[in-house]
Amino acid sequence: MKLPLRARITAWYFAVLVVAFASFAWISDLGFQHSIETTVNDASRANLESIQNVLKRTAPTGIAEIQRELDELGTVWAGAALLEVSDANGKMLFQSLPFKNPYGADNPATGDGISFVTTNLDNLQYRIATRSVDIGGQIFHVRAAVPTEPLDQALDRFRLILKETLPFLVILASLAGYWLSGRALAPVNAIIETARGVGVQNLSSRLAVPPANDELRRLSETLNAMLARLESSVKRLTQFTADASHDLRTPIALIRTSAELSLRRPRTEAEYRETLARILATSEETTHLIENLLALARADSGASELHFENIDLVPRLEKISEEAAILASGKGIEVTREIATGPMRVSADPAAIDRLLVIVFDNAVKYTPRGGRIAMSLSNGSGSARIEIRDSGIGISEKDLPHIFERFYRADQARSREPGGSGLGLAIARWIVDLHGGLIEAESRLGGGSLFRISLPVAPNR
């Protein structure tokens, strides 16, 4: 079973403390040992210098004077240091009593001609320094020993203190870390409790943002942004469901009512045909509405896959405008076009582009009164293919214009009275343009017609 975050943090903190304190103890012990060695070596060098000075002063006066001076020096150093001096032939001129016991060989000499060895003399540990000195042509072998026992005892006491205090300090620091981790995680617990209370019914709730500019503040802001997106998505889904239900209820009720009325009593063939024609027309409108709903549902779920190709817009616009002209001719609407010469290539899904153009042309024909005009143009503007479709229709009011690309949005009553409208066409058009990295805009005013401008990135030359 995994431990809670607070326990895991404390465990990691405990492990880090153990490693840190163990490293500290090891480094301190090495430093203490090095300090002791440096101290006793310096003391041994100083003692050798003192003995050498005595030899320089007394060598001209003879062996007896050397021995007398060394005996006085040994008396002064009694208990603090030992000394031993012999001549070149090995004759002992002076020797402190503990030196009479045998000890190990010296270490190799250092750069100043002094060799060191640590050994026991008379059951006490000493650091012995050895040097050969030349005084007026006479060679003397000099040894000076400094006791290390007091320093070794101090090192032992230091090690004992570390062994006794470090475990206590680790445990105490770990407990403090456990308490601090609880304090540090308290805002996280507050976020968890608040998040638990957020549901579909109250997505407007937001987490409290800590004042400190730290990770918890960024976490709270990120979660609040996520909640805002979820709230917006749920609102859109709820509105989408409500609008879809409303738009589907009317044609289904019309189909059912028409069928029920026809079956109440015998009808003439003409009446049956009229009823069936009405049901067929309503079914076609409903089918178109369902297709649009499915297209938007696939778009929202990301399941709608487009197949991009390098296509030329010129022949596609010519084809769509010709089809629009045929539809417009039934209302006596004049359709004109102005297309730039030469190919105008874009990277696009051919079927999606055709659907986009049909939607915009269909709107233009639908909302342009009999005898009106529709003008289409294609031009190259700053690395983008610009399509403009202008009509002399009833126009869109200023308050409705910002919302015409929203799903199920219908403008004023004059436009709502037009047959076959579901409020999804322009929403699908904007979705197609967005997937192609383009832009769709509308300019309009009531009674002054509408202008739809579509910009698509031009495909790079290969």
Side-chain angles (χ1 to χ4, degrees):
M1 182 178 63
K2 291 187 176 181
L3 295 174
L5 178 59
R6 184 179 182 185
R8 294 203 302 272
I9 291 175
T10 305
W12 278 106
Y13 185 61
F14 175 82
V16 170
L17 284 176
V18 169
V19 173
F21 279 129
S23 301
F24 167 76
W26 178 66
I27 294 172
S28 299
D29 188 86
L30 289 179
F32 208 144
Q33 292 183 60
H34 179 72
S35 177
I36 290 174
E37 184 177 346
T38 301
T39 300
V40 296
N41 286 350
D42 290 344
S44 297
R45 285 190 178 93
N47 290 342
L48 287 177
E49 292 293 333
S50 298
I51 296 171
Q52 186 174 346
N53 291 335
V54 170
L55 293 174
K56 286 180 180 180
R57 187 173 66 252
T58 58
T61 61
I63 299 300
E65 183 63 22
I66 292 175
Q67 291 177 330
R68 189 185 68 79
E69 288 283 345
L70 292 175
D71 185 62
E72 289 183 1
L73 184 60
T75 303
V76 173
W77 285 0
L82 306 176
L83 61 99
E84 179 185 86
V85 180
S86 60
D87 60 15
N89 298 321
K91 179 183 177 180
M92 195 63 62
L93 301 181
F94 181 84
Q95 186 180 50
S96 298
L97 185 59
F99 269 121
K100 297 182 184 299
N101 299 321
Y103 58 90
D106 295 338
N107 292 327
T110 60
D112 54 3
I114 301 175
S115 61
F116 294 93
V117 66
T118 301
T119 188
N120 287 332
L121 298 176
D122 198 16
N123 297 323
L124 293 177
Q125 186 166 280
Y126 284 84
R127 182 72 168 169
I128 302 173
T130 302
R131 173 192 274 178
S132 297
V133 296
D134 185 351
I135 307 297
Q138 300 183 60
I139 302 300
F140 298 92
H141 301 294
V142 181
R143 289 184 177 85
V146 176
T148 62
E149 194 72 21
L151 298 176
D152 291 336
Q153 291 176 357
L155 178 60
D156 292 338
R157 286 194 296 271
F158 175 72
R159 289 171 175 170
L160 180 62
I161 291 172
L162 289 179
K163 290 179 181 179
E164 292 178 348
T165 58
L166 287 186
F168 172 76
L169 290 176
V170 169
I171 294 174
L172 182 63
S174 299
L175 292 175
Y178 184 76
W179 177 77
L180 287 174
S181 63
R183 291 289 302 274
L185 293 174
V188 177
N189 292 327
I191 291 174
I192 292 173
E193 292 301 321
T194 305
R196 282 177 178 171
V198 177
V200 176
Q201 304 302 325
N202 60 338
L203 281 174
S204 59
S205 299
R206 295 294 181 267
L207 305 177
V209 178
N213 188 17
D214 55 9
E215 289 78 3
L216 293 178
R217 180 186 180 94
R218 292 196 292 274
L219 174 62
S220 300
E221 291 174 344
T222 302
L223 290 176
N224 285 338
M226 181 188 69
L227 288 173
R229 292 193 298 272
L230 287 174
E231 182 182 15
S232 176
S233 298
V234 170
K235 284 182 177 179
R236 288 178 59 190
L237 179 61
T238 303
Q239 185 65 34
F240 181 87
T241 304
D243 291 337
S245 301
H246 178 270
D247 277 50
L248 287 172
R249 185 185 299 114
T250 300
I252 291 174
L254 180 59
I255 293 173
R256 179 178 177 179
T257 302
S258 298
E260 288 177 347
L261 290 174
S262 297
L263 293 174
R264 282 185 179 180
R265 60 181 178 83
R267 304 279 180 174
T268 64
E269 181 180 350
E271 290 175 329
Y272 280 126
R273 285 184 175 276
E274 181 183 355
T275 300
L276 290 175
R278 187 163 55 251
I279 291 175
L280 177 60
T282 306
S283 299
E284 290 175 348
E285 293 177 7
T286 306
T287 301
H288 183 67
L289 172 62
I290 291 174
E291 289 175 352
N292 287 338
L293 289 173
L294 290 176
L296 290 175
R298 286 194 296 268
D300 289 340
S301 64
S304 180
E305 296 183 0
L306 299 183
H307 302 283
F308 287 82
E309 301 176 11
N310 196 329
I311 64 173
D312 186 3
L313 285 178
V314 172
R316 310 200 82 85
L317 258 72
E318 289 178 345
K319 174 177 175 293
I320 298 297
S321 63
E322 289 174 0
E323 294 175 355
I326 295 173
L327 293 176
S329 62
K331 296 177 65 174
I333 299 173
E334 178 187 1
V335 176
T336 61
R337 61 189 182 192
E338 183 180 345
I339 299 178
T341 58
M344 184 93 50
R345 297 192 172 276
V346 296
S347 179
D349 180 280
I353 291 298
D354 287 348
R355 187 171 190 179
L356 166 66
L357 297 174
V358 167
I359 289 172
V360 180
F361 269 116
D362 183 63
N363 267 13
V365 173
K366 184 183 298 182
Y367 296 114
T368 300
R370 183 174 297 275
R373 295 182 309 280
I374 298 176
M376 183 275 295
S377 66
L378 172 63
S379 60
N380 191 343
S382 302
S384 64
R386 177 175 295 179
I387 304 169
E388 292 187 352
I389 300 175
R390 183 187 298 273
D391 63 61
S392 59
I394 60 177
I396 306 169
S397 67
E398 184 178 350
K399 68 180 181 65
D400 292 323
L401 190 60
H403 306 287
I404 60 173
F405 294 106
E406 298 175 5
R407 299 176 185 183
F408 294 104
Y409 186 84
R410 293 183 179 85
D412 53 50
Q413 295 181 358
R415 295 181 72 90
S416 298
R417 285 194 298 267
E418 292 295 329
S422 63
L424 294 177
L426 291 179
I428 294 175
R430 184 177 64 175
W431 166 67
I432 293 173
V433 172
D434 289 343
L435 285 181
H436 287 78
L439 179 67
I440 182 169
E441 301 173 301
E443 297 177 7
S444 183
R445 59 186 178 85
L446 278 179
S450 302
L451 167 64
F452 283 85
R453 183 180 296 111
I454 303 169
S455 298
L456 299 173
V458 175
N461 294 324
R462 296 184 179 180

